[in-house]
Amino acid sequence: MRKKLLEKRLAKLNAKLAEIRSKVQTSTDAAEVRELTERAAEITDDIDDITAELAIIEDEEKRAAAQTANEQRGTVPAGAQLVNPISMGGASFGTPEKREDEDIYAGMEYRRAFKEYVQRGTAIPEKFEQRQAAANTNSLGAIIPTTILNELTNEIRKVYGNLYSKVRKLNIPGGVKIPVGKLQATFKWITEKTVSPRQNAGTTETVEFSYNVGEIRIAETLLASIVTLDAFEREVVKVMLEAFLQAMDIGIVRGTGNGQMLGILNDSRVPAGNVVTFTAAEINDWTKWRKKFFAKLPLGYRSGDFIFPLSTVESYLETMADNNNNPIFRQATGLEMGDGDAAAPNGRFFGRTIDVVEPDVVEDFDAANAGDVVGVFWQPEAYAINSNMQFGMKRYFDEEANEWVNKMLVIVDGKLVNPAGVWLIKKSTT
């Protein structure tokens, strides 16, 4: 009965909220808009309360149904343990108590507390602060609710052609050295009088990740204007997603390694022999690609992907022609691009995927200077990003700008675990 009453009230409140929002859109009176917005905020709070109560009721119903299913007369519950055995008479059974380690950052109480912290600066309740301190995450500020992080992760997986979506993801402690080298030995023939000599298995290289902290800043006016909890969380996810993915893609390729990820272009471990140069005429010639690039690729690294800015693909790869200026790029290289497809802009070149990026990730060929990297051929699994994907938020007042600023923080690092799997394509003028 209680659940039905709450559901009816929730429906009425949602209808009333929709009506108020419609009036806000059409009103030209500032005072009226202010009053309507305040009423919408009050209704939204009521909606959040009812939604939370309905969630509790549904959980109780599920637990009651499960208990009823197990309490069948004459049947010993699954997982029951013998307690207080009675000599020659029998025994009674009881199910062991189940304790679940609940995620406190996923509940409605914390989600609302987080929203109040960001929009109004209301302190996070002490019980949540204590849990953060125990987990050594309080230095990040108020931990962003798990629901938002899950949404962020799901959205990242949907992003097609993003470099971040392809690399390896790790979650290991910083400062731990991870072996990445391969054990090697040489086959030796033996005779009746000789034996194979003992061999050293070879040196094993290691890679070590640091505790680099990245930040995303959001203006107060943006978050303060969002009324409902759902709308607030969606906007936080959107802002985080755009900023985080842009930073990750740039970091994978151009990160300096100084307080941030070490990018491919700045990693001195990439072998000097893994560099190929092209002039404007050569990069436009499919035979030069065969002779200067593919002929050098070892068999074990021929299944990688290309990284190019779209402008280079348009200007040089898609303009390959024969002596009569007939296009041959498709016949000669198998080049196919998702032209005009915003959801899938990438393509294939010589049977390998092209990851299309902006010129701030890889330099456009025409704008590049001699010696600049204008393309990358890589095995995405050769690069690893290490992060627990736990974002925190801190709120502070900017005295110079006279405004509140919300700053999101995350610990993340990234670097190549196998530099031999990367080839750099550079511009040459001669």
Side-chain angles (χ1 to χ4, degrees):
M1 180 64 71
R2 173 65 176 167
K3 182 179 180 181
K4 291 182 178 179
L5 291 175
L6 288 174
E7 289 174 342
K8 288 182 179 180
R9 187 182 175 195
L10 181 61
K12 290 180 179 179
L13 288 174
N14 281 324
K16 187 64 176 178
L17 184 60
E19 180 183 351
I20 291 176
R21 286 177 176 171
S22 178
K23 290 181 179 179
V24 169
Q25 295 294 328
T26 58
S27 177
T28 58
D29 188 337
E32 183 184 22
V33 170
R34 190 181 303 109
E35 180 183 354
L36 290 171
T37 302
E38 291 175 356
R39 289 172 57 191
E42 293 175 357
I43 294 176
T44 300
D45 287 340
D46 291 339
I47 290 175
D48 291 342
D49 290 337
I50 294 176
T51 302
E53 191 169 352
L54 285 172
I56 293 173
I57 293 175
E58 290 177 357
D59 288 340
E60 291 176 348
E61 290 177 346
K62 290 179 181 179
R63 286 196 295 269
Q67 184 176 359
T68 301
N70 284 330
E71 291 179 350
Q72 298 179 2
R73 181 172 298 182
T75 302
V76 178
Q81 297 177 345
L82 181 65
V83 296
N84 299 326
I86 304 173
S87 177
M88 302 299 291
S92 60
F93 291 84
T95 55
E97 180 181 358
K98 293 183 179 179
R99 296 183 179 179
E100 297 181 355
D101 186 13
E102 296 182 355
D103 184 356
I104 63 171
Y105 303 122
M108 181 64 69
E109 181 182 1
Y110 184 77
R111 290 167 60 190
R112 294 191 62 186
F114 178 76
K115 177 175 179 284
E116 291 297 314
Y117 169 77
V118 175
Q119 292 188 318
R120 299 177 177 84
T122 305
I124 297 292
E126 186 177 354
K127 61 181 178 180
F128 297 117
E129 294 282 2
Q130 291 174 348
R131 179 71 70 89
Q132 284 185 221
N136 295 321
T137 57
N138 55 324
S139 60
L140 291 178
I143 295 298
I144 292 178
T146 307
T147 50
I148 300 181
L149 293 182
N150 289 341
E151 184 68 20
L152 172 65
T153 303
N154 291 334
E155 287 297 323
I156 287 175
R157 291 172 180 161
K158 296 177 185 176
V159 177
Y160 180 86
N162 188 274
L163 305 185
Y164 175 84
S165 66
K166 292 190 171 186
V167 299
R168 295 172 62 183
K169 311 298 190 306
L170 302 176
N171 182 7
I172 58 177
V176 176
K177 293 184 178 181
I178 308 300
V180 296
K182 294 182 179 179
L183 300 180
Q184 297 178 343
T186 303
F187 182 88
K188 299 288 185 181
W189 291 106
I190 64 174
T191 65
E192 292 181 356
K193 296 181 180 180
T194 64
V195 297
S196 176
R198 293 186 178 92
Q199 301 178 49
N200 189 317
T203 59
T204 301
E205 296 183 358
T206 62
V207 62
E208 181 179 346
F209 293 95
S210 304
Y211 288 104
N212 297 325
V213 179
E215 68 174 20
I216 304 169
R217 301 191 183 207
I218 303 179
E220 170 74 8
T221 52
L222 171 65
L223 294 182
S225 62
I226 303 171
V227 179
T228 68
L229 180 62
D230 288 342
F232 169 82
E233 292 183 339
R234 283 196 302 271
E235 194 61 32
V236 169
V237 170
K238 178 182 177 182
V239 173
M240 287 175 60
L241 177 67
E242 293 176 352
F244 183 75
L245 286 181
Q246 181 181 10
M248 292 300 98
D249 277 4
I250 293 175
I252 289 170
V253 178
R254 309 182 76 87
T256 64
N258 183 18
Q260 59 179 268
M261 298 158 56
L262 178 60
I264 292 171
L265 304 191
N266 294 311
D267 196 326
S268 60
R269 297 173 300 147
V270 175
N274 287 18
V275 176
V276 179
T277 60
F278 283 99
T279 64
E282 290 173 336
I283 201 172
N284 189 240
D285 185 342
W286 72 274
T287 63
K288 295 299 182 183
W289 277 99
R290 284 296 185 191
K291 293 179 180 179
K292 298 191 68 172
F293 180 72
F294 287 103
K296 292 185 176 182
L297 282 180
L299 288 175
Y301 293 114
R302 298 179 71 87
S303 60
D305 296 351
F306 285 101
I307 304 175
F308 284 120
L310 183 58
S311 53
T312 296
V313 176
E314 294 273 7
S315 299
Y316 291 95
L317 304 188
E318 288 193 299
T319 58
M320 292 184 184
D322 60 18
N323 293 334
N324 296 319
N325 202 32
N326 295 315
I328 60 170
F329 65 89
R330 185 170 286 111
Q331 302 94 310
T333 69
L335 179 64
E336 293 285 349
M337 296 299 298
D339 292 337
D341 188 348
N346 294 346
R348 297 186 67 80
F349 184 55
F350 284 104
R352 283 81 174 173
T353 297
I354 296 179
D355 296 321
V356 179
V357 296
E358 296 290 348
D360 59 349
V361 179
V362 174
E363 196 81 36
D364 168 68
F365 191 93
D366 287 332
N369 298 316
D372 287 347
V373 174
V374 293
V376 176
F377 183 76
W378 69 325
Q379 281 69 41
E381 64 275 10
Y383 195 97
I385 287 181
N386 187 45
S387 174
N388 63 0
M389 284 298 289
Q390 191 165 54
F391 288 78
M393 180 174 284
K394 290 188 175 181
R395 190 173 189 269
Y396 68 93
F397 188 75
D398 187 338
E399 297 288 351
E400 295 183 0
N402 291 321
E403 66 179 5
W404 286 98
V405 178
N406 297 290
K407 180 170 65 175
M408 296 180 188
L409 302 172
V410 62
I411 297 175
V412 61
D413 195 14
K415 58 186 60 175
L416 284 169
V417 293
N418 183 15
V422 174
W423 272 260
L424 304 180
I425 302 167
K426 294 186 177 183
K427 179 178 180 177
S428 174
T429 56
T430 56

